[in-house]
Amino acid sequence: MIEQIEQEVEKHYGDPSVDLEEKIIQALRKEGKDINNLVWTDLNGLDEFHLRKREATVEMASLLNLQPETRVLDAGSGLGGPSRYLTSEYGCHIDGIDLSGVFCDVARSFARRFGFEDRLRYQQGSALDLPFADDSFDVTWTQHVSMNIENKTGFFNELARVLKPDGMLACYDIIAGSGEPIDFPVPWAKTQKISFLASAEEQKQAITHAGLEILSWDDKSQEALAWLETAQEKFRAGDARPLGSKLFLGEMFSEVMSNQVRNFQSGRTRVVQIIGRKTVKPDLVID
Ligand SMILES: C[S@@+](CC[C@H](N)C(=O)[O-])C[C@H]1O[C@@H](n2cnc3c(N)ncnc32)[C@H](O)[C@@H]1O
């Protein structure tokens, strides 16, 4: 069952028949960028698939005391936008893992193109079965991924397992609000089939059950809604970049954006930034 859902999720985000990197390069060319002299920041806005994009990444990163020797796992690393920011700003080493092989290929290629290949590695795989030894990372980082994962306990257990003792969890995810059904399609799912929104209580329980102490829980829904409304206005005025979330949403982009605004306005979805710390090993947790 998990495998079937993961295949659906992979299909949702990446069409293997499309040369995604070429598509991005073409879009940048159309914007007048000098393709032979691209810098990684030319991709700003195109390569982060979460609410408030870079602003949210900068904010969460600032809470983590990242250093060049910090080892970070980005679970659900997408096109690598957040990891390029983290290594460029803090110099840290990052392993990205994502279900989408297409996204991993593009992220790897951009790491090479922008000279980050000694610090950024990407591999296709599942966050529910991480190919890393216990106690490997100082930070496990994840943004807008758990909405596609039904087994929240399994997800946070894996993130905790690969964290060193005292390592930090940084999680920025959409959760359920009022509990009322949400409008589909949304960016992470065309239908209910691959959407699994936990309530705040369920998310907190899954995290603490994994042996992670929650140090902060910040609801960013107001900021996200304001950001979404501005993005929607820009889109309606024809002032939106040609790619961004349109990469995998295509023709549905406008409908998805309206649904996101409505889901947030009505309190059916919320977005939270969570910082946690590994205090005990999962196998020492007593129910
Ligand atoms: C909305 S995108 C966010 C990408 C990136 N974190 C960002 O913020 O730019 C969600 C990503 O999570 C990945 N994903 C979803 N479920 C996953 C799982 N079980 N294991 C690994 N990656 C997963 C998807 O393939 C997709 O790339």
Side-chain angles (χ1 to χ4, degrees), residues 6 9 13 47-50 76-78 82 98-100 103 125-127 143-145 148-149:
E6 291 188 340
V9 172
Y13 287 105
D47 60 355
E48 294 195 61
F49 298 149
H50 52 254
S77 44
D98 200 285
L99 283 180
S100 165
F103 282 4
S126 169
Q143 293 169 293
H144 285 35
V145 177
N148 285 128
I149 298 178

Side-chain angles (χ1 to χ4, degrees), residues 2 5-6 9-14 47-51 53 57 74-83 97-101 103 123-130 141-150 155 172-173 187-188 248:
I2 287 180
I5 287 170
E6 291 188 340
V9 172
E10 186 189 353
K11 218 162 68 194
H12 172 71
Y13 287 105
D47 60 355
E48 294 195 61
F49 298 149
H50 52 254
L51 294 162
K53 300 194 183 201
T57 298
D74 185 357
S77 44
L79 287 179
S83 43
I97 186 151
D98 200 285
L99 283 180
S100 165
F103 282 4
Q123 59 178 303
Q124 186 178 17
S126 169
L128 289 170
D129 185 18
L130 293 170
W141 169 281
T142 184
Q143 293 169 293
H144 285 35
V145 177
S146 77
M147 306 97 74
N148 285 128
I149 298 178
E150 185 171 20
F155 177 56
Y172 180 61
D173 262 330
W188 63 94
F248 51 88

